């Protein structure tokens, strides 16, 4: 009987040791890497997600804290993830990340940006004491699961794709930077013209212009252009000429420019002038 009890105690002690070992190994587990393909997993359950970049000094110093916090995920019943923005630019645009590292608390599709302390104890108390309830969720138009933020994420992905092409042109093929800008400018103009042409064609096909005839009432009152009678024009011209001639005849002959009295006065002035000279 005593031997059975000893075996039972030993077995329970062994289970306890195994549980501690498994717990310690879980606490040293790395955060889950989130990518463009599996990011929708954060919409279910409770998550803490870090946005980081390998070149970021602050991210490097925060890495140990985040790894330690990930080890507490089992005890806190939370999943800890990490997103590398250099490998997933679409997610940085979808979540509108403007600084690194950026921490998000996500629970059942509600997104909150955590801007508190960056120590392990601060992160643990955030989850254990549910301090995240005091943080206002992001607005609906900034919700990463919305259509507009998805479009913004696609723009970020396209921008990084173009940047990759630019780096390849300059580093691999040795094309000068100014020539790269010229090539991109020409391509932008060509693509804009093609898209504009497609837009016009779509509008003409799906929304053609419709002819709207005038109502019968307006057609009935519409004045008609009457042809002008040439005889009336001739008669009016003759009548105007006759009227002008009659007015000239009524005035009579024109009077001389000077009157007789004025001529006499001029002659007297001349005589007086001659006498004064003599």
């Amino acid at each position: 009987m005593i031997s059975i009890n000893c075996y039972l105690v030993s077995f329970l002690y062994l289970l306890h040791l195994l549980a501690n070992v498994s717990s310690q190994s879980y606490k040293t587990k790395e955060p889950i890497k989130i990518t463009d393909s599996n990011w929708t997993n954060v919409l279910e359950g409770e998550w803490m997600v870090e946005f980081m970049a390998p070149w970021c000094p602050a991210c490097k110093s925060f890495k140990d804290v985040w790894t330690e916090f990930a080890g507490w995920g089992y005890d806190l019943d939370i999943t800890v993830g990490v997103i590398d923005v250099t490998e997933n630019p679409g997610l940085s645009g979808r979540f509108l990340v403007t600084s690194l590292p950026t921490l998000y608390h996500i629970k059942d599709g509600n997104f909150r940006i955590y801007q508190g302390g960056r120590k392990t104890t601060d992160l643990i108390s955030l989850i254990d004491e549910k301090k995240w309830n005091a943080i206002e969720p992001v607005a609906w138009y900034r919700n990463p699961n919305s259509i507009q933020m998805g479009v913004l994420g696609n723009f970020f992905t396209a921008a990084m794709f173009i940047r990759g092409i630019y780096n390849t042109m300059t580093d691999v093929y040795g094309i000068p930077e100014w020539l790269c800008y010229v090539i991109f400018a020409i391509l932008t103009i060509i693509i804009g013209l093609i898209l504009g042409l497609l837009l016009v064609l779509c509008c003409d096909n799906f929304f053609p212009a419709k002819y709207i005839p005038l109502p019968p009432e307006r057609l009935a009152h519409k004045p008609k252009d009457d042809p002008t009678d040439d005889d009336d024009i001739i008669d009016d011209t003759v009548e105007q000429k006759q009227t002008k001639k009659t007015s000239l005849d009524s005035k009579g002959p024109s009077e001389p420019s000077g009157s007789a009295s004025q001529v006499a006065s001029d002659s007297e002035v001349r005589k007086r002038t001659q006498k004064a000279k003599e």
Side-chain angles (χ1 to χ4, degrees):
M1 186 69 179
I2 297 175
S3 61
I4 295 175
N5 291 334
C6 291
Y7 283 121
L8 182 60
V9 172
S10 300
F11 179 73
L12 293 176
Y13 181 72
L14 181 61
L15 290 178
H16 178 70
L17 291 178
L18 291 175
N20 288 336
V21 171
S22 62
S23 177
Q24 292 295 329
S25 63
Y26 186 83
K27 289 183 179 181
T28 59
K29 188 175 65 174
E30 295 289 333
I32 298 175
K33 291 185 178 181
I34 301 173
T35 62
D36 290 317
S37 59
N38 66 352
W39 80 270
T40 53
N41 294 336
V42 304
L43 300 177
E44 299 178 358
E46 189 173 6
W47 288 72
M48 281 292 291
V49 179
E50 176 200 8
F51 287 85
M52 52 78 65
W55 49 263
C56 174
C59 300
K60 293 178 181 179
S61 61
F62 185 66
K63 182 178 180 180
D64 294 337
V65 175
W66 194 249
T67 302
E68 183 181 359
F69 174 65
W72 287 88
Y74 179 80
D75 296 332
L76 298 174
D77 193 19
I78 190 173
T79 307
V80 180
V82 62
I83 298 176
D84 187 350
V85 296
T86 59
E87 297 179 357
N88 306 278
L91 291 180
S92 64
R94 183 182 287 272
F95 283 80
L96 202 62
V97 176
T98 57
S99 61
L100 296 175
T102 296
L103 304 182
Y104 265 86
H105 174 269
I106 309 169
K107 184 174 177 60
D108 298 330
N110 294 319
F111 299 84
R112 293 175 172 86
I113 301 177
Y114 174 69
Q115 297 177 342
R118 299 302 173 95
K119 296 181 180 180
T120 306
T121 54
D122 297 329
L123 299 173
I124 292 174
S125 62
L126 173 71
I127 305 302
D128 190 29
E129 300 176 11
K130 298 186 182 301
K131 293 182 179 180
W132 50 265
N133 284 321
I135 303 175
E136 189 72 19
V138 297
W140 63 269
Y141 55 85
R142 288 190 56 185
N143 191 310
N145 197 30
S146 60
I147 297 176
Q148 62 272 12
M149 298 307 294
V151 173
L152 183 61
N154 292 331
F155 276 117
F156 271 66
T157 303
M160 293 303 297
F161 176 75
I162 295 174
R163 183 177 179 83
I165 295 176
Y166 171 79
N167 292 334
T168 302
M169 294 171 64
T170 54
D171 298 339
V172 178
Y173 297 101
I175 300 176
E177 293 183 358
W178 65 269
L179 184 57
C180 293
Y181 292 141
V182 172
I183 294 173
F184 282 122
I186 294 174
L187 291 176
T188 302
I189 294 173
I190 294 174
I191 294 173
L193 292 175
I194 294 174
L195 293 178
L197 179 60
L198 293 176
L199 181 61
V200 171
L201 292 176
C202 292
C203 291
D204 290 340
N205 290 330
F206 294 103
F207 306 100
K210 296 181 179 180
Y211 172 73
I212 302 176
L214 292 174
E217 295 80 6
R218 295 189 62 181
L219 291 175
H221 295 286
K222 184 178 180 181
K224 297 182 179 180
D225 297 333
D226 297 332
T228 306
D229 192 356
D230 295 338
D231 296 336
D232 293 340
I233 296 176
I234 296 173
D235 294 341
D236 293 340
T237 306
V238 173
E239 184 178 357
Q240 290 177 0
K241 289 182 178 180
Q242 291 178 354
T243 304
K244 185 176 182 181
K245 184 177 180 181
T246 304
S247 62
L248 292 175
D249 294 341
S250 62
K251 290 182 179 180
S254 58
E255 296 180 355
S257 59
S259 61
S261 59
Q262 186 176 0
V263 173
S265 61
D266 291 340
S267 60
E268 290 179 359
V269 171
R270 292 193 192 97
K271 290 178 180 180
R272 292 176 182 177
T273 304
Q274 290 177 358
K275 289 180 180 181
K277 289 180 179 181
E278 292 177 355

